[in-house]
Amino acid sequence: MMPFTYNGLPSRVIFGQGTLAQVAEEVRSLGCSRVLVLSTPEQEGQARQILVQLGELGADVFAGARMHTPVETTEEAMRALASLGADGVVAIGGGSTIGLGKAIALRTDLPQVAIPTTYAGSEMTPILGETKDGLKTTQRTLKVLPETVIYDVDLTLGLPVGMSGTSGINAIAHAVEALYAKDRNPIVSLMAEEGIAALARSLPTIAGTPSDATARSDALYGAWLCGACLGSVGMSLHHKLCHTLGGSFDLPHAETHTIVLPHAVAYNATAAPDAMARIARALDAADAAGGLYDLARSVGATLALRDIGLKEDDIERATEIATANPYWNPRDIEANGIRRLLNDAYAGRRPATMEATEA
Ligand code: NAD
């Protein structure tokens, strides 16, 4: 076995159906006596229910969380926190709300309970992306890792079908890139393969029967493992492309991940054969890139970048940005191959692994 370094991430995880009932107990065990409950405006109702459940442990609700964690929103939440004398936060929602909790923890070191309701996986990472004056910057610090995560399958039963599919494949993308990461290790690779398999077997069922509790449970478990992969090892070409497309062309986060992933995997296929074999095995597919494309199709996801707002003229600029400061990647980043990858993703073609890796 090759030598490796493994960094364990300290967090307590409560997983199951109905686990939200334990929120007060978990808040108390973190030593908090008055917590601020965070949500988006859309999930304020759920946040208010938690406030009721918390009784005297609850200070109030701040329902202003927004995509990409704008610093102005964080400052507004900090003012609420200070005026209430809150000594901890409970974040219920997806990556946007959990991001707000992390931004508060960065500034205050207050404990966080994260209650995820999507499959984005932010609750498992020591990573925070924040936006100021339209610029998103990302940092990695254990200060932002939530102390406690409550996964309650019941909270995901109502996650809309479209979002379930793309959010789930967004999670798979973390595990896929963990399998060929420069700093990969056997422990994280185990989580990655298990996470992909759990999501791949559950997402098609959820697309047909969104209230299937067994499939929802598998998907949330898979999302947890994939989030842990993102938090543990470095990401490569796929994440760089998605950051470029999201940041410079304002394309939607999870949908972009879903479309780009098969093509990024096709690009890397010959440079990472062991990872490809493990991804294909987890997907129960003949090849990794084709299997990911078929999974996206089976959950009814949009398959072409042109259908989520990218213009054909943008491909050249996206190629330039994505190749300018590339992340480490198992295969060298070269403009012709990236241009071809983006053209395939733009048109929504099923990736042909051999063709894409001959460039
Ligand atoms: P989101 O948090 O932006 O949620 C999208 C919308 O769906 C919101 O209106 C939300 O209230 C709603 N929603 C969430 N759960 C729901 C449910 N169960 N039922 C109905 N509606 C629900 O979306 P997301 O994809 O979870 O998060 C995306 C953001 O998270 C991005 O900004 C991304 O950069 C960030 N992210 C960060 C990390 C990290 O490690 N820092 C990891 C993954 C994602």
Side-chain angles (χ1 to χ4, degrees):
M1 183 176 283
M2 297 283 287
F4 62 87
T5 302
Y6 169 73
N7 292 305
L9 292 170
S11 76
R12 173 175 163 82
V13 173
I14 321 283
F15 186 95
Q17 272 193 274
T19 48
L20 184 59
Q22 296 173 47
V23 65
E25 201 179 317
E26 291 303 322
V27 163
R28 207 173 286 115
S29 72
L30 285 172
C32 301
S33 56
R34 204 170 149 70
V35 293
L36 183 62
V37 184
L38 310 172
S39 73
T40 58
E42 294 80 14
Q43 289 181 283
E44 182 169 356
Q46 279 177 305
R48 297 231 161 258
Q49 278 172 20
I50 291 179
L51 188 70
V52 170
Q53 217 175 309
L54 285 170
E56 60 182 17
L57 293 172
D60 203 350
V61 166
F62 178 85
R66 285 163 51 205
M67 193 87 162
H68 304 309
T69 329
V71 168
E72 311 80 68
T73 303
T74 304
E75 284 165 356
E76 204 187 320
M78 293 280 295
R79 284 192 288 277
L81 193 90
S83 71
L84 292 160
D87 58 3
V89 295
V90 171
I92 175 153
S96 297
T97 306
I98 290 167
L100 175 60
K102 288 172 151 185
I104 292 172
L106 178 74
R107 290 159 175 80
T108 60
D109 254 338
L110 290 180
Q112 310 167 63
V113 175
I115 309 173
T117 61
T118 71
Y119 304 135
S122 177
E123 66 283 354
M124 277 296 135
T125 81
I127 304 168
L128 171 65
E130 295 187 282
T131 314
K132 190 171 187 195
D133 301 328
L135 261 186
K136 189 163 181 175
T137 50
T138 300
Q139 57 183 302
R140 189 179 265 271
T141 161
L142 275 176
K143 273 175 97 168
V144 305
L145 184 73
E147 280 71 7
T148 303
V149 179
I150 300 180
Y151 285 109
D152 187 338
V153 176
D154 289 344
L155 297 173
T156 64
L157 295 175
L159 185 65
V161 167
M163 234 182 118
S164 300
T166 55
S167 187
I169 295 176
N170 179 189
I172 288 178
H174 310 326
V176 161
E177 293 226 287
L179 283 166
Y180 54 64
K182 190 180 182 185
D183 53 351
R184 65 187 175 278
N185 64 68
I187 314 304
V188 171
S189 295
L190 273 178
M191 292 196 274
E193 199 175 329
E194 173 81 351
I196 297 169
L199 281 157
R201 71 171 173 263
S202 55
L203 293 180
T205 305
I206 290 169
T209 317
S211 60
D212 184 313
T214 305
R216 287 291 189 183
S217 185
D218 280 352
L220 195 58
Y221 166 68
W224 160 17
L225 296 175
C226 292
C229 293
L230 174 68
S232 301
V233 295
M235 296 289 117
S236 303
L237 172 67
H238 169 76
H239 281 74
K240 173 71 183 185
L241 287 170
C242 292
H243 291 164
T244 301
L245 294 166
S248 303
F249 302 94
D250 211 23
L251 299 193
H253 180 82
E255 288 88 337
T256 305
H257 271 273
T258 301
I259 295 169
V260 171
L261 185 62
H263 303 283
V265 165
Y267 183 93
N268 282 334
T270 52
D274 293 348
M276 295 303 141
R278 293 184 78 161
I279 298 163
R281 186 166 65 194
L283 294 168
D284 196 18
D287 82 286
L292 289 164
Y293 183 89
D294 295 342
L295 178 63
R297 190 163 44 191
S298 76
V299 304
T302 305
L303 298 170
L305 290 175
R306 68 176 167 211
D307 294 335
I308 59 165
L310 193 74
K311 305 270 175 295
E312 196 160 10
D313 290 351
D314 294 335
I315 292 177
E316 199 48 45
R317 196 158 64 90
T319 304
E320 277 165 29
I321 301 171
T323 51
N325 290 303
Y327 300 170
W328 180 89
N329 190 61
R331 178 180 161 195
D332 282 349
I333 302 294
E334 43 89 20
N336 281 339
I338 299 299
R339 192 176 296 112
R340 174 141 33 135
L341 180 170
L342 285 171
N343 267 305
D344 285 345
Y346 175 79
R349 279 189 278 276
R350 191 175 190 278
T353 305
M354 293 316 292
E355 238 180 75
T357 52
E358 274 163 12

